Amino acid sequence: MTSTSTSSPHQFPEGSDAFPHRHLLGIAGLQPWEILYLLKEAEQWVDLNKKSSKHADRLDGLTVINAFFENSTRTLLSFEIAGKRMGADVVNMHAAQSSVKKGETLIDTAVTLNSMKADAIVIRHASSGAVQLIADKVDCPVLNAGDGRHEHPTQALLDALTIQRRKGDISGLTITICGDVMHSRVARSNIYCLTTLGAKVRVCAPPSLLPDALDRMNVESFTNFDDALAGSDVVMMLRLQSERMSGDFIPSPREYHYLYGLTKERLKNAKPDALIMHPGPMNRGVEIDSEVADDLERSAITEQVEMGVAVRMACLDILTRKSRGVEGWS
Ligand code: ASP
């Protein structure tokens, strides 16, 4: 398929041509139909996850290792639930309790994980590029659960699924991402994902938190939040990533909230039915007010978490098809 059209119904290439990748390290470089194929596959798991019995046996007998070298709540739990619901044996490795703390190199850790014959490894690491390094050393598919400020592909996919289910076709939507764009892997993966699917993406931040690389990313940059919000269909808020900041990027959280916090009043600048999103964890009263985050009609924040499990089930399924000998997935 060569068309970049995202209009429904979608036609996908046969078998592994629909997603011909060994790993999921990032969204950059994926074709629109590859992203849409992942989203389509996730839909069946959204349905399963709503049932009282949530078991599928697709990954029966497989071992999935979640190797998290950085803290996580949603992503770790949701990868664990995804693997278990698909029937895999899921093992979580927390860096704080591992030999990493004893000085083991990343490569040695990768070789160790590989020797345990995992069928998929999910990795989160504080350094951009660390996940690629491990992927180069192991025999099984690797899924990036967030590497430094680089990428967080399953977050972008779950965000796209949430938007698509609420708003229909993503192509043509105006989507504003506001916050610490500079240090955010969520922003980067979402920019790649949403622009590839044909959305008009706006990013908004104080000048100190807008990276130069945006010039090459097919987005419109704003420093005035009210201007960025005008006519937006979706508003995605980001946390200040203080763990990745060296020095002061904002005068104070209070001033930041005054200029860039999403309040009920400020939201009036967006379209009346604009969807509110946040990848979590939220800093209430800083980048977003509770009144907005907890607005049952407009906020999709809990739905994002729900979609996260389905998307991760789809990713684990698709990436292990080759090793499971699924027909057409050579
Ligand atoms: N949970 C997201 C991440 O891991 C966003 C955040 O931490 O602010 O990047």
Side-chain angles (χ1 to χ4, degrees):
M1 183 189 284
T2 49
S3 154
T4 55
S5 161
T6 58
S7 57
S8 300
H10 306 291
Q11 295 290 318
F12 298 103
E14 294 284 301
S16 57
D17 286 346
F19 195 81
H21 305 279
R22 183 160 168 243
H23 306 294
L24 180 64
L25 302 180
I27 299 291
L30 293 186
Q31 299 299 329
W33 61 89
E34 293 170 353
I35 297 172
L36 292 170
Y37 181 70
L38 286 169
L39 302 186
K40 179 198 76 106
E41 287 290 298
E43 286 287 353
Q44 65 192 295
W45 306 121
V46 177
D47 296 340
L48 179 80
N49 290 338
K50 290 189 191 297
K51 297 188 174 152
S52 54
S53 174
K54 301 174 180 63
H55 276 172
D57 56 5
R58 223 171 258 199
L59 302 192
D60 229 2
L62 266 55
T63 301
V64 175
I65 299 181
N66 293 326
F68 277 58
F69 299 87
E70 205 189 38
N71 292 342
S72 172
T73 306
R74 274 155 289 269
T75 308
L76 176 59
L77 266 179
S78 108
F79 264 116
E80 182 174 359
I81 291 171
K84 286 183 171 163
R85 285 196 182 154
M86 310 279 286
D89 296 317
V90 182
V91 184
N92 294 338
M93 191 204 90
H94 301 276
Q97 295 139 24
S98 71
S99 290
V100 175
K101 283 278 166 216
K102 299 181 185 169
E104 183 169 81
T105 66
L106 196 56
I107 304 267
D108 284 339
T109 306
V111 171
T112 303
L113 293 177
N114 199 44
S115 308
M116 308 234 170
K117 305 281 179 254
D119 298 287
I121 303 178
V122 180
I123 302 167
R124 168 168 287 194
H125 201 283
S127 302
S128 308
V131 179
Q132 170 82 62
L133 200 76
I134 296 181
D136 292 343
K137 295 281 171 222
V138 299
D139 299 318
C140 66
V142 168
L143 293 91
N144 182 0
D147 63 329
R149 61 169 87 171
H150 175 227
E151 281 232 36
H152 193 350
T154 55
Q155 177 71 48
L157 292 168
L158 74 87
D159 289 339
L161 184 62
T162 307
I163 297 170
Q164 199 180 59
R165 286 172 63 90
R166 283 277 197 122
K167 296 270 172 203
D169 206 335
I170 287 175
S171 176
L173 292 177
T174 299
I175 301 178
T176 296
I177 304 175
C178 178
D180 183 359
V181 180
M182 167 96 93
H183 301 100
S184 172
R185 53 195 176 206
V186 174
R188 192 175 300 264
S189 290
N190 261 303
I191 289 170
Y192 290 135
C193 184
L194 297 168
T195 55
T196 301
L197 296 182
K200 295 183 203 104
V201 178
R202 298 174 176 174
V203 294
C204 177
S208 57
L209 292 173
L210 279 175
D212 294 340
L214 286 174
D215 298 345
R216 302 186 293 277
M217 293 179 94
N218 196 17
V219 296
E220 229 186 315
S221 299
F222 292 78
T223 51
N224 182 301
F225 194 16
D226 295 327
D227 291 347
L229 283 173
S232 292
D233 296 288
V234 178
V235 186
M236 202 180 275
M237 301 305 296
L238 301 172
R239 182 178 64 91
L240 290 164
Q241 313 271 302
S242 38
E243 71 275 25
R244 288 186 206 117
M245 290 182 190
S246 49
D248 289 334
F249 283 81
I250 55 157
S252 70
R254 202 166 149 193
E255 213 162 323
Y256 180 83
H257 176 262
Y258 179 68
L259 292 171
Y260 296 100
L262 189 62
T263 60
K264 203 173 171 191
E265 194 50 36
R266 180 162 275 141
L267 188 60
K268 289 184 183 154
N269 290 302
K271 284 197 181 158
D273 60 346
L275 198 63
I276 301 153
M277 301 178 73
H278 193 304
M282 284 185 273
N283 284 150
R284 291 171 182 262
V286 182
E287 74 272 10
I288 191 164
D289 276 4
S290 288
E291 226 184 342
V292 180
D294 301 334
D295 180 329
L296 291 178
E297 257 177 48
R298 310 277 299 274
S299 168
I301 296 171
T302 54
E303 213 169 299
Q304 288 174 266
V305 179
E306 183 187 340
M307 295 308 123
V309 179
V311 154
R312 286 163 183 139
M313 288 170 88
C315 293
L316 286 170
D317 170 30
I318 291 167
L319 290 175
T320 56
R321 282 183 190 168
K322 186 176 171 192
S323 68
R324 288 186 286 126
V326 175
E327 207 187 320
W329 290 76
S330 50

